[in-house]
Amino acid sequence: VKAYKRQKQFLRRCRSGRKKVTCHHMEATLQSSICQLKREQPRVCARYKRCYSQRVAKYKATIKFTIDAVNRRKSEYRVLKRLECLVGAYSNSTDEVSKETLDGCIKKRHPTWHLRIRYPRVPRMERCRSIMPIGVDRRMLNK
């Protein structure tokens, strides 16, 4: 953008000066650059859309995999807690299992809220904007 501004200032100065040939060459170079940007715009937008779609698909696949893993981990956690309770129901001194403690273990529920994962939302796909440099006027675009 800075180079474009410098070039435009140079063109303004040289239009009123003696270097008409250099000015025409610079103007042609500027026009060529603008045309190249106009041609490249659809490719850039298509590449962005394709990249966005691929990333969203990977994100969704990762979430699906993670949800399955979290559900397995919750089940494992519940089993571990139940086993801890059952082992605790066994008394070493009497070599017996207390029926009340055993019934309590069976009825006891173990919350797994602390194992939940919050997933960030997928950002919206941005609108593909023009990549024209600031200061390019409509007359140059329509040439």
Side-chain angles (χ1 to χ4, degrees), residues 25-124:
H25 175 70
M26 292 291 286
E27 221 169 329
T29 304
L30 179 63
Q31 188 62 40
S32 172
S33 299
I34 291 171
C35 289
Q36 187 176 358
L37 280 172
K38 281 173 63 175
R39 280 193 309 272
E40 196 62 29
Q41 179 73 33
R43 282 187 232 140
V44 169
C45 290
R47 202 173 309 135
Y48 169 69
K49 289 176 186 175
R50 189 170 46 253
C51 178
Y52 177 85
S53 299
Q54 289 171 350
R55 296 295 173 194
V56 167
K58 281 185 179 182
Y59 178 77
K60 288 180 179 179
T62 302
I63 285 181
K64 184 179 183 302
F65 174 80
T66 306
I67 287 172
D68 291 342
V70 166
N71 289 337
R72 283 192 307 274
R73 192 128 320 119
K74 285 180 180 181
S75 296
E76 291 168 2
Y77 177 79
R78 286 188 201 104
V79 167
L80 177 67
K81 287 299 186 180
R82 172 112 354 123
L83 283 173
E84 280 180 356
C85 187
L86 291 172
V87 169
Y90 180 77
S91 173
N92 283 336
S93 60
T94 60
D95 286 337
E96 292 180 3
V97 176
S98 166
K99 182 163 175 43
E100 296 83 32
T101 311
L102 192 60
D103 289 339
C105 288
I106 292 170
K107 290 178 183 175
K108 193 169 186 179
R109 299 287 173 234
H110 303 283
T112 57
W113 57 268
H114 61 284
L115 297 174
R116 281 185 294 173
I117 296 178
R118 292 182 187 253
Y119 305 98
R121 291 183 181 158
V122 175
R124 287 184 309 154

